[in-house]
Amino acid sequence: MLNFLSSKKSSGAGPLQGYKITNIERSKKYGVAADSLRMLKTKASEKFKLNSCRVYLAQDGVEVLDEDYFRTLPAQVLFVVAEQDAIVKTDFELMYDAIKSTHSELLQAGTLAKEFVCNNQSDIARLLQDAQHTQNQQTAKSRRSEHEEWFEGLHKRTDEKGPQTKEEIMQRRGQDRIRGYFYKTKDELTKCAVYRRNLMAKELIDEMLELFRQLLIGFDYFSCIFDRSHPERLPDAQVSNLVLANEKSDDGGQADEVDAQRIPSKRMKLIVKKSLENNPNPIDKYRMALCNSSGEFRCMGLWNHQQCNYGAHVINPYASRENMILFQVWNLDHQVEISRTVLPSIVENVSRMISDEAEAICKIHNRRGKNLSVITYFIELFTLGNLKLVHIVCHDKSIHDMISRGAIICDKCSEYKYIKALQNKIRYNKNALL
């Protein structure tokens, strides 16, 4: 009885806010108040009689694993709660399945539509031209005051520091995608057996996670990927060649985020930016927008294809509120898979590092390894070096037959020297700014 009552009280983790929870069938929906992910899971477990509750965002299916990430989400967001091994579909995927189940009716409707178009070609052409002109005008608008409809339903901030442009909103959407990969990486690595049982493994993984965090802050969690105002963008000609093409080098239960509370993100961003100045780095080339200057995105195709097989997979989320909502179901697809390949590679190489010397060998120089290729893993986890933007139809969730390039490196490897030099610069600039 005491445990039940305690779940209803504020834990003091953060402000108490209202959220919506539903089951995977969307047959029941409840409103709950929670001040933490833990409290939300407790209440969801009681409402839906779940033994092991997991929490997902209904709009895009992202699993919420981290209390820090939970606190970045706005009130009244809809979560799907499910058991440990349940398959969770996004709102869009449920609608897509419903449409597929009525395929014959759609075909009949298509035939009627074709006849109507043939009989009214001139009128329809004029209407389409007018509609296209209006859409182009709306697409070009940027500020909230110019296109209020586009911002409908988004959290409105009255202070001047809040997002007042489409570009700012899309920057945050890009950050959320990449930030989600960091929380997933952190969650899986800090829960693995070798991290919990071996102090050296824990130190290696903590050091890697801290450098990941610093670099992500320094690169603003790659907010540029969905930002049409970003000066660098991905040309159409590079779509099929960028992903992993340039990755060849000469080297071939902690709950709190590491050091997260000591240095504010804005200051850390300045520290990392200063540390990267006048020093060519292998990450900068992936800091680019995936759209053209008007905000149009094109599907990059299946993970193992050079391009999209469907020419119609094009969207401009800047054009309308509907497009912006639909864009949420476009996926960033890891060619080298994060859970099946990249993270297991990290755990395997950490295990070798803590074993005998015969296991922890740099294959390039045949010497005792000193570290893991952190930058290579960073590129595979968080950058366009391994990510393709794809329409939901082109997101193949079967096993990808690709291996990680991450490895054990020694003090003769250029990547090892780069990592150490970067860490020293960050440490120096951090002390200088504190």
Side-chain angles (χ1 to χ4, degrees):
M1 182 66 176
L2 290 176
N3 290 337
F4 177 80
L5 290 175
S6 64
S7 70
K8 306 296 184 182
K9 296 180 181 179
S10 172
S11 66
L16 201 64
Q17 295 195 108
Y19 300 99
K20 300 171 187 176
I21 55 175
T22 185
N23 53 6
I24 55 177
E25 296 85 9
R26 310 304 199 270
S27 59
K28 294 182 180 179
K29 187 182 292 185
Y30 299 102
V32 296
D35 63 5
S36 65
L37 179 60
R38 181 179 180 182
M39 179 183 284
L40 183 79
K41 286 184 174 182
T42 300
K43 291 189 175 183
S45 297
E46 293 172 2
K47 292 286 186 184
F48 293 104
K49 310 302 181 186
L50 302 175
N51 295 320
S52 178
C53 180
R54 298 179 80 93
V55 177
Y56 304 82
L57 290 173
Q59 66 177 15
D60 56 13
V62 170
E63 183 177 1
V64 182
L65 298 166
D66 191 281
E67 291 286 356
D68 291 336
Y69 182 59
F70 177 80
R71 287 195 291 271
T72 68
L73 299 173
Q76 301 306 324
V77 69
L78 177 62
F79 296 106
V80 178
V81 295
E83 291 282 7
Q84 177 85 16
D85 299 322
I87 298 175
V88 177
K89 293 186 177 182
T90 66
D91 290 342
F92 181 85
E93 287 172 324
L94 288 175
M95 183 181 296
Y96 184 76
D97 289 344
I99 292 173
K100 284 174 64 178
S101 68
T102 58
H103 195 256
S104 59
E105 287 82 355
L106 285 177
L107 287 177
Q108 183 179 3
T111 301
L112 293 173
K114 181 179 179 181
E115 292 177 358
F116 176 79
V117 170
C118 291
N119 295 331
N120 300 275
Q121 289 188 21
S122 59
D123 291 336
I124 291 175
R126 185 175 65 255
L127 288 172
L128 288 175
Q129 288 176 355
D130 293 342
Q132 185 63 51
H133 178 69
T134 301
Q135 186 181 58
N136 290 341
Q137 288 182 319
Q138 295 294 79
T139 301
K141 294 175 180 177
S142 175
R143 300 196 63 79
R144 183 187 291 268
S145 58
E146 297 172 331
H147 195 175
E148 282 283 353
E149 180 187 353
W150 192 91
F151 293 85
E152 183 181 342
L154 298 177
H155 182 57
K156 187 172 182 178
R157 296 276 297 274
T158 56
D159 60 292
E160 293 184 358
K161 294 182 180 179
Q164 297 298 319
T165 67
K166 296 177 182 179
E167 289 76 13
E168 289 175 305
I169 295 293
M170 295 303 292
Q171 286 170 8
R172 294 191 177 190
R173 294 288 169 89
Q175 289 174 327
D176 286 345
R177 300 279 185 108
I178 304 302
R179 189 179 282 112
Y181 297 140
F182 174 73
Y183 289 132
K184 180 180 180 67
T185 297
K186 176 187 170 185
D187 182 72
E188 292 198 20
L189 290 181
T190 55
K191 285 183 178 178
C192 70
V194 67
Y195 178 90
R196 294 183 176 276
R197 295 174 184 172
N198 187 281
L199 181 59
M200 181 181 174
K202 182 178 183 299
E203 291 175 350
L204 283 169
I205 291 174
D206 281 346
E207 181 184 26
M208 174 179 283
L209 288 172
E210 172 63 0
L211 187 56
F212 285 170
R213 186 187 73 88
Q214 291 173 346
L215 287 171
L216 285 171
I217 292 174
F219 285 99
D220 199 29
Y221 286 89
F222 295 98
S223 61
C224 57
I225 57 176
F226 297 155
D227 178 15
R228 67 179 179 182
S229 66
H230 190 73
E232 300 295 328
R233 62 188 73 259
L234 180 65
D236 290 342
Q238 292 184 12
V239 168
S240 61
N241 300 319
L242 175 68
V243 184
L244 290 178
N246 298 316
E247 289 315 313
K248 294 181 180 179
S249 65
D250 60 347
D251 305 323
Q254 184 170 334
D256 296 328
E257 191 168 317
V258 184
D259 198 27
Q261 307 304 321
R262 284 187 279 172
I263 300 177
S265 294
K266 288 184 178 180
R267 183 171 293 181
M268 179 56 73
K269 184 177 179 180
L270 292 175
I271 290 171
V272 176
K273 184 177 180 180
K274 187 174 180 64
S275 302
L276 293 170
E277 284 179 355
N278 303 319
N279 184 24
N281 68 83
I283 304 171
D284 221 27
K285 59 188 173 185
Y286 302 116
R287 185 159 52 180
M288 61 178 67
L290 287 171
C291 58
N292 61 22
S293 58
S294 69
E296 183 180 88
F297 293 84
R298 293 181 176 272
C299 174
M300 298 169 74
L302 292 168
W303 67 272
N304 56 349
H305 287 204
Q306 293 295 310
Q307 58 188 4
C308 177
N309 293 334
Y310 305 86
H313 288 171
V314 180
I315 191 170
N316 190 330
Y318 291 86
S320 66
R321 178 174 176 272
E322 291 76 15
N323 279 9
M324 186 264 291
I325 293 172
L326 284 174
F327 186 66
Q328 293 173 2
V329 301
W330 281 54
N331 301 126
L332 286 173
D333 188 12
H334 284 83
Q335 287 186 283
V336 182
E337 296 175 283
I338 180 172
S339 292
R340 289 180 176 141
T341 307
V342 182
L343 297 181
S345 172
I346 292 175
V347 173
E348 181 182 355
N349 282 325
V350 167
S351 299
R352 289 175 177 170
M353 288 290 292
I354 64 175
S355 64
D356 58 68
E357 292 190 8
E359 289 288 327
I361 297 297
C362 167
K363 294 182 179 179
I364 302 298
H365 300 102
N366 198 30
R367 288 164 54 88
R368 170 71 180 175
K370 295 288 187 179
N371 204 341
L372 271 62
S373 49
V374 179
I375 301 300
T376 298
Y377 281 126
F378 180 87
I379 290 171
E380 290 182 348
L381 288 167
F382 308 115
T383 78
L384 298 180
N386 189 34
L387 289 168
K388 298 181 74 172
L389 180 67
V390 296
H391 185 276
I392 189 172
V393 174
C394 290
H395 190 190
D396 182 2
K397 296 184 179 180
S398 62
I399 296 176
H400 297 186
D401 187 19
M402 296 187 72
I403 63 172
S404 170
R405 296 173 184 266
I408 294 173
I409 55 178
C410 69
D411 51 11
K412 282 193 173 183
C413 294
S414 62
E415 185 169 356
Y416 177 86
K417 296 174 183 177
Y418 177 82
I419 293 169
K420 290 302 176 184
L422 178 60
Q423 288 177 319
N424 290 334
K425 286 184 179 180
I426 291 175
R427 194 176 299 112
Y428 173 82
N429 289 321
K430 185 188 299 183
N431 294 332
L433 288 176
L434 288 177

